[in-house]
Amino acid sequence: MTVQISLQRGCPACEGFPCADPAECLYFLTSRPWADCVKCEGSGWAGEECGSLQVFCSFCNGSGLNEFTPGEITDDEISKGAKERHAAYVAKLSAMVNQSPARLAVAA
């Protein structure tokens, strides 16, 4: 049995830390609706169903967000907290994409 414990919250799009491809994750975060995780209700913390060795929710990897199919959820069904977390992830990924070495090489 392998137990993997991370002290970093995962990316909502790829679930990794750090993101393997920030540009792709940014695309997914901006092209689909995202709302509170259905398991942890947006907290990102593991509940009793995850077991005592988990720090973060195993369903959303601690991001507190789940991807929804367009039309499956309306904007007024998305909590203010989910909108704020989503905006923070988008800002973080945007900064990563803007600072990537490939982008800097093209600009030079």
Side-chain angles (χ1 to χ4, degrees), residues 28-42:
F28 278 101
L29 280 175
T30 56
S31 66
R32 293 158 172 78
W34 291 79
D36 287 316
C37 174
V38 296
K39 295 291 185 186
C40 69
E41 299 176 345

Side-chain angles (χ1 to χ4, degrees), residues 1-10 15-17 44-46 50-58 61-62:
M1 179 175 153
T2 303
V3 175
Q4 182 178 354
I5 298 175
S6 173
L7 298 179
Q8 301 288 336
R9 292 179 185 262
E15 298 183 351
F17 186 85
W45 300 108
C50 294
S52 61
L53 295 177
Q54 295 263 352
V55 176
F56 297 116
C57 173
S58 59
N61 255 5

Side-chain angles (χ1 to χ4, degrees), residues 5-6 16 18 20 26 39 48-49 51 63 82 90-91 94 96 101-102 105:
I5 298 175
S6 173
L26 183 60
K39 295 291 185 186
E48 290 181 18
E49 73 278 356
S63 72
V90 168
S94 294
M96 290 171 71

Side-chain angles (χ1 to χ4, degrees), residues 86-98:
H86 181 265
Y89 280 109
V90 168
K92 179 181 176 181
L93 289 170
S94 294
M96 290 171 71
V97 169
N98 289 334

